[in-house]
Amino acid sequence: LYSQQLGRIIYSIDPNKVIDKEITVFSEELSYDNISKYHDGAKLEVDKNYLVPVIAEGMVTYIGEKENYGKVIIIEDVNGISIWYGNMETTTVKLYDYVEKNAYLGTVKDEVLYLAYQKDGQFLDYKEYLQ
């Protein structure tokens, strides 16, 4: 409707130059080739340069290194469950960002993504959340 009534969105990087560009929204679901138990969570085998989607909306509560998990991003969802995304290489989020489900979180290092679920200081069985 917007494009029919008003046309395409115009972005101006340089005041003397106008660029016509469409917006693409990242909205992917988690996909992986294999899953196995890993420490307090799961090890997922994913494609090289896998673009990690956010599993559940929530707030970014931690970005940093965790033993056995490498670079970790933790998002606390609306139900109070902290989801650990481990072995991350890049990220698009900052601490205390609110992220939507299926939004782009970042990329993994190598071809492995570690996931762990925690509530009230206790790790939860990943099988309750991942198929």
PDB file of all heavy atoms in Angstrom, residues 104-122:
ATOM      1  N   TYR A 104      17.814 -10.978  12.915  1.00  0.00           N
ATOM      2  CA  TYR A 104      19.208 -11.369  12.713  1.00  0.00           C
ATOM      3  C   TYR A 104      20.030 -11.030  13.955  1.00  0.00           C
ATOM      4  O   TYR A 104      20.073  -9.892  14.378  1.00  0.00           O
ATOM      5  CB  TYR A 104      19.744 -10.641  11.483  1.00  0.00           C
ATOM      6  CG  TYR A 104      21.204 -10.816  11.230  1.00  0.00           C
ATOM      7  CD1 TYR A 104      21.755 -12.077  11.024  1.00  0.00           C
ATOM      8  CD2 TYR A 104      22.049  -9.714  11.168  1.00  0.00           C
ATOM      9  CE1 TYR A 104      23.111 -12.233  10.773  1.00  0.00           C
ATOM     10  CE2 TYR A 104      23.396  -9.860  10.914  1.00  0.00           C
ATOM     11  CZ  TYR A 104      23.920 -11.122  10.720  1.00  0.00           C
ATOM     12  OH  TYR A 104      25.265 -11.270  10.476  1.00  0.00           O
ATOM     13  N   LEU A 105      20.687 -12.045  14.530  1.00  0.00           N
ATOM     14  CA  LEU A 105      21.503 -11.865  15.724  1.00  0.00           C
ATOM     15  C   LEU A 105      22.978 -11.693  15.395  1.00  0.00           C
ATOM     16  O   LEU A 105      23.678 -10.909  16.009  1.00  0.00           O
ATOM     17  CB  LEU A 105      21.318 -13.060  16.663  1.00  0.00           C
ATOM     18  CG  LEU A 105      22.024 -13.000  18.003  1.00  0.00           C
ATOM     19  CD1 LEU A 105      21.544 -11.805  18.824  1.00  0.00           C
ATOM     20  CD2 LEU A 105      21.792 -14.284  18.777  1.00  0.00           C
ATOM     21  N   GLY A 106      23.473 -12.462  14.433  1.00  0.00           N
ATOM     22  CA  GLY A 106      24.879 -12.415  14.054  1.00  0.00           C
ATOM     23  C   GLY A 106      25.265 -13.687  13.329  1.00  0.00           C
ATOM     24  O   GLY A 106      24.409 -14.443  12.883  1.00  0.00           O
ATOM     25  N   THR A 107      26.578 -13.932  13.229  1.00  0.00           N
ATOM     26  CA  THR A 107      27.070 -15.141  12.563  1.00  0.00           C
ATOM     27  C   THR A 107      27.860 -15.989  13.550  1.00  0.00           C
ATOM     28  O   THR A 107      28.377 -15.484  14.545  1.00  0.00           O
ATOM     29  CB  THR A 107      27.986 -14.805  11.368  1.00  0.00           C
ATOM     30  OG1 THR A 107      29.092 -14.030  11.831  1.00  0.00           O
ATOM     31  CG2 THR A 107      27.231 -14.054  10.291  1.00  0.00           C
ATOM     32  N   VAL A 108      27.959 -17.290  13.235  1.00  0.00           N
ATOM     33  CA  VAL A 108      28.714 -18.202  14.089  1.00  0.00           C
ATOM     34  C   VAL A 108      30.148 -18.319  13.606  1.00  0.00           C
ATOM     35  O   VAL A 108      30.445 -18.103  12.438  1.00  0.00           O
ATOM     36  CB  VAL A 108      28.082 -19.616  14.143  1.00  0.00           C
ATOM     37  CG1 VAL A 108      26.737 -19.585  14.796  1.00  0.00           C
ATOM     38  CG2 VAL A 108      28.015 -20.242  12.781  1.00  0.00           C
ATOM     39  N   LYS A 109      31.016 -18.683  14.532  1.00  0.00           N
ATOM     40  CA  LYS A 109      32.396 -19.000  14.213  1.00  0.00           C
ATOM     41  C   LYS A 109      32.395 -20.477  13.832  1.00  0.00           C
ATOM     42  O   LYS A 109      31.745 -21.289  14.490  1.00  0.00           O
ATOM     43  CB  LYS A 109      33.268 -18.760  15.454  1.00  0.00           C
ATOM     44  CG  LYS A 109      34.724 -18.943  15.229  1.00  0.00           C
ATOM     45  CD  LYS A 109      35.468 -18.617  16.509  1.00  0.00           C
ATOM     46  CE  LYS A 109      36.933 -18.914  16.321  1.00  0.00           C
ATOM     47  NZ  LYS A 109      37.666 -18.681  17.563  1.00  0.00           N
ATOM     48  N   ASP A 110      33.097 -20.827  12.792  1.00  0.00           N
ATOM     49  CA  ASP A 110      33.125 -22.203  12.295  1.00  0.00           C
ATOM     50  C   ASP A 110      31.719 -22.596  11.843  1.00  0.00           C
ATOM     51  O   ASP A 110      30.968 -21.766  11.361  1.00  0.00           O
ATOM     52  CB  ASP A 110      33.665 -23.174  13.347  1.00  0.00           C
ATOM     53  CG  ASP A 110      35.012 -22.733  13.913  1.00  0.00           C
ATOM     54  OD1 ASP A 110      35.868 -22.291  13.127  1.00  0.00           O
ATOM     55  OD2 ASP A 110      35.189 -22.814  15.140  1.00  0.00           O
ATOM     56  N   GLU A 111      31.339 -23.819  12.074  1.00  0.00           N
ATOM     57  CA  GLU A 111      30.029 -24.307  11.646  1.00  0.00           C
ATOM     58  C   GLU A 111      29.263 -24.907  12.822  1.00  0.00           C
ATOM     59  O   GLU A 111      28.547 -25.902  12.688  1.00  0.00           O
ATOM     60  CB  GLU A 111      30.210 -25.336  10.521  1.00  0.00           C
ATOM     61  CG  GLU A 111      30.831 -24.700   9.289  1.00  0.00           C
ATOM     62  CD  GLU A 111      31.289 -25.696   8.250  1.00  0.00           C
ATOM     63  OE1 GLU A 111      31.080 -26.909   8.416  1.00  0.00           O
ATOM     64  OE2 GLU A 111      31.874 -25.249   7.259  1.00  0.00           O
ATOM     65  N   VAL A 112      29.421 -24.270  13.994  1.00  0.00           N
ATOM     66  CA  VAL A 112      28.798 -24.767  15.219  1.00  0.00           C
ATOM     67  C   VAL A 112      28.138 -23.615  15.969  1.00  0.00           C
ATOM     68  O   VAL A 112      28.715 -22.546  16.126  1.00  0.00           O
ATOM     69  CB  VAL A 112      29.845 -25.441  16.137  1.00  0.00           C
ATOM     70  CG1 VAL A 112      29.258 -25.788  17.485  1.00  0.00           C
ATOM     71  CG2 VAL A 112      30.428 -26.669  15.468  1.00  0.00           C
ATOM     72  N   LEU A 113      26.913 -23.861  16.426  1.00  0.00           N
ATOM     73  CA  LEU A 113      26.210 -22.927  17.295  1.00  0.00           C
ATOM     74  C   LEU A 113      25.875 -23.666  18.575  1.00  0.00           C
ATOM     75  O   LEU A 113      25.315 -24.760  18.535  1.00  0.00           O
ATOM     76  CB  LEU A 113      24.909 -22.441  16.624  1.00  0.00           C
ATOM     77  CG  LEU A 113      23.967 -21.602  17.494  1.00  0.00           C
ATOM     78  CD1 LEU A 113      24.626 -20.294  17.901  1.00  0.00           C
ATOM     79  CD2 LEU A 113      22.659 -21.345  16.762  1.00  0.00           C
ATOM     80  N   TYR A 114      26.255 -23.096  19.715  1.00  0.00           N
ATOM     81  CA  TYR A 114      25.899 -23.678  21.004  1.00  0.00           C
ATOM     82  C   TYR A 114      24.683 -22.930  21.536  1.00  0.00           C
ATOM     83  O   TYR A 114      24.637 -21.704  21.490  1.00  0.00           O
ATOM     84  CB  TYR A 114      27.044 -23.546  22.009  1.00  0.00           C
ATOM     85  CG  TYR A 114      28.319 -24.204  21.577  1.00  0.00           C
ATOM     86  CD1 TYR A 114      29.498 -23.484  21.490  1.00  0.00           C
ATOM     87  CD2 TYR A 114      28.361 -25.560  21.259  1.00  0.00           C
ATOM     88  CE1 TYR A 114      30.687 -24.084  21.098  1.00  0.00           C
ATOM     89  CE2 TYR A 114      29.540 -26.170  20.860  1.00  0.00           C
ATOM     90  CZ  TYR A 114      30.697 -25.426  20.777  1.00  0.00           C
ATOM     91  OH  TYR A 114      31.861 -26.028  20.381  1.00  0.00           O
ATOM     92  N   LEU A 115      23.715 -23.667  22.044  1.00  0.00           N
ATOM     93  CA  LEU A 115      22.537 -23.069  22.670  1.00  0.00           C
ATOM     94  C   LEU A 115      22.345 -23.666  24.048  1.00  0.00           C
ATOM     95  O   LEU A 115      22.518 -24.870  24.237  1.00  0.00           O
ATOM     96  CB  LEU A 115      21.275 -23.352  21.845  1.00  0.00           C
ATOM     97  CG  LEU A 115      21.116 -22.608  20.535  1.00  0.00           C
ATOM     98  CD1 LEU A 115      19.851 -23.059  19.825  1.00  0.00           C
ATOM     99  CD2 LEU A 115      21.080 -21.107  20.761  1.00  0.00           C
ATOM    100  N   ALA A 116      22.011 -22.820  24.995  1.00  0.00           N
ATOM    101  CA  ALA A 116      21.687 -23.289  26.338  1.00  0.00           C
ATOM    102  C   ALA A 116      20.522 -22.444  26.846  1.00  0.00           C
ATOM    103  O   ALA A 116      20.378 -21.274  26.475  1.00  0.00           O
ATOM    104  CB  ALA A 116      22.886 -23.166  27.267  1.00  0.00           C
ATOM    105  N   TYR A 117      19.697 -23.054  27.667  1.00  0.00           N
ATOM    106  CA  TYR A 117      18.519 -22.397  28.234  1.00  0.00           C
ATOM    107  C   TYR A 117      18.654 -22.411  29.751  1.00  0.00           C
ATOM    108  O   TYR A 117      18.963 -23.445  30.339  1.00  0.00           O
ATOM    109  CB  TYR A 117      17.246 -23.149  27.827  1.00  0.00           C
ATOM    110  CG  TYR A 117      16.989 -23.106  26.347  1.00  0.00           C
ATOM    111  CD1 TYR A 117      17.634 -23.988  25.478  1.00  0.00           C
ATOM    112  CD2 TYR A 117      16.110 -22.180  25.805  1.00  0.00           C
ATOM    113  CE1 TYR A 117      17.403 -23.945  24.112  1.00  0.00           C
ATOM    114  CE2 TYR A 117      15.871 -22.137  24.443  1.00  0.00           C
ATOM    115  CZ  TYR A 117      16.519 -23.016  23.605  1.00  0.00           C
ATOM    116  OH  TYR A 117      16.292 -22.972  22.257  1.00  0.00           O
ATOM    117  N   GLN A 118      18.424 -21.255  30.363  1.00  0.00           N
ATOM    118  CA  GLN A 118      18.606 -21.136  31.802  1.00  0.00           C
ATOM    119  C   GLN A 118      17.465 -20.309  32.401  1.00  0.00           C
ATOM    120  O   GLN A 118      17.030 -19.322  31.812  1.00  0.00           O
ATOM    121  CB  GLN A 118      19.946 -20.455  32.084  1.00  0.00           C
ATOM    122  CG  GLN A 118      20.361 -20.431  33.512  1.00  0.00           C
ATOM    123  CD  GLN A 118      21.730 -19.763  33.684  1.00  0.00           C
ATOM    124  OE1 GLN A 118      21.983 -18.720  33.108  1.00  0.00           O
ATOM    125  NE2 GLN A 118      22.584 -20.377  34.462  1.00  0.00           N
ATOM    126  N   LYS A 119      16.991 -20.750  33.581  1.00  0.00           N
ATOM    127  CA  LYS A 119      15.980 -19.977  34.308  1.00  0.00           C
ATOM    128  C   LYS A 119      16.271 -20.082  35.788  1.00  0.00           C
ATOM    129  O   LYS A 119      16.542 -21.167  36.299  1.00  0.00           O
ATOM    130  CB  LYS A 119      14.572 -20.494  34.009  1.00  0.00           C
ATOM    131  CG  LYS A 119      13.493 -19.620  34.640  1.00  0.00           C
ATOM    132  CD  LYS A 119      12.120 -19.953  34.133  1.00  0.00           C
ATOM    133  CE  LYS A 119      11.139 -18.940  34.731  1.00  0.00           C
ATOM    134  NZ  LYS A 119       9.819 -19.076  34.170  1.00  0.00           N
ATOM    135  N   ASP A 120      16.244 -18.951  36.465  1.00  0.00           N
ATOM    136  CA  ASP A 120      16.502 -18.891  37.903  1.00  0.00           C
ATOM    137  C   ASP A 120      17.814 -19.582  38.272  1.00  0.00           C
ATOM    138  O   ASP A 120      17.900 -20.294  39.278  1.00  0.00           O
ATOM    139  CB  ASP A 120      15.340 -19.505  38.685  1.00  0.00           C
ATOM    140  CG  ASP A 120      14.024 -18.780  38.446  1.00  0.00           C
ATOM    141  OD1 ASP A 120      14.050 -17.541  38.265  1.00  0.00           O
ATOM    142  OD2 ASP A 120      12.971 -19.449  38.435  1.00  0.00           O
ATOM    143  N   GLY A 121      18.840 -19.405  37.440  1.00  0.00           N
ATOM    144  CA  GLY A 121      20.164 -19.961  37.728  1.00  0.00           C
ATOM    145  C   GLY A 121      20.332 -21.435  37.405  1.00  0.00           C
ATOM    146  O   GLY A 121      21.407 -21.983  37.577  1.00  0.00           O
ATOM    147  N   GLN A 122      19.283 -22.093  36.941  1.00  0.00           N
ATOM    148  CA  GLN A 122      19.337 -23.521  36.612  1.00  0.00           C
ATOM    149  C   GLN A 122      19.240 -23.719  35.102  1.00  0.00           C
ATOM    150  O   GLN A 122      18.384 -23.110  34.449  1.00  0.00           O
ATOM    151  CB  GLN A 122      18.180 -24.271  37.288  1.00  0.00           C
ATOM    152  CG  GLN A 122      18.160 -24.174  38.791  1.00  0.00           C
ATOM    153  CD  GLN A 122      19.375 -24.849  39.415  1.00  0.00           C
ATOM    154  OE1 GLN A 122      19.744 -25.947  39.038  1.00  0.00           O
ATOM    155  NE2 GLN A 122      19.993 -24.172  40.373  1.00  0.00           N
TER     156      GLN A 122
END
